[in-house]
Amino acid sequence: MRSTLPDASGFDIVVLSDLLHFHNSHPAILSSLTNLLARNESSRSFVAAGTYTPPHVCSNFVKLAVIEGLLVEEGVADDVWRGEKEVWKGKRLGSN
């Protein structure tokens, strides 16, 4: 059976979505992120926070990421949904 985990070099891309509102978990999230990312210039993490996450909470995460040595580039918060609205495409367990 093939493992879904990367070799010791890590993942090229890590996506984090809707985790930043757990303000006290920022150190643990960053620890996981730095352990999962490949250690090269082309590895990236894409981090998204919902509009319900206060700006000061997002700023705290960014500040801690910089302290961890991560290069941070912030995108524009324009409230434009760029994905599909329907996330669940299968049949829910227990539904008929």
Side-chain angles (χ1 to χ4, degrees), residues 4 17 29-30 35 41 45-46 49 55 62 66 74-75 88 91 93:
T4 57
S17 181
I29 293 168
L30 283 164
N35 284 311
E41 292 182 12
S45 178
F46 298 94
V62 169
V66 169
E74 293 186 67
W88 181 261
K91 186 176 179 182
L93 293 176

Side-chain angles (χ1 to χ4, degrees), residues 7-87:
D7 60 20
S9 62
F11 289 101
D12 294 326
I13 298 172
V14 175
V15 178
L16 303 176
S17 181
D18 289 335
L19 296 173
L20 298 189
H21 60 278
F22 297 117
H23 189 254
N24 293 333
S25 298
H26 289 179
I29 293 168
L30 283 164
S31 176
S32 295
L33 179 61
T34 56
N35 284 311
L36 288 168
L37 272 175
R39 305 240 187 300
N40 61 55
E41 292 182 12
S42 64
S43 64
R44 298 285 186 269
S45 178
F46 298 94
V47 181
T51 56
Y52 50 83
T53 305
H56 73 276
V57 174
C58 294
S59 294
N60 180 69
F61 182 82
V62 169
K63 180 182 86 172
L64 293 175
V66 169
I67 290 170
E68 283 291 320
L70 298 173
L71 175 63
V72 176
E73 296 179 21
E74 293 186 67
V76 177
D78 58 10
D79 294 332
V80 175
W81 176 254
R82 290 182 176 81
E84 294 181 21
K85 290 188 178 186
E86 182 181 2
V87 175

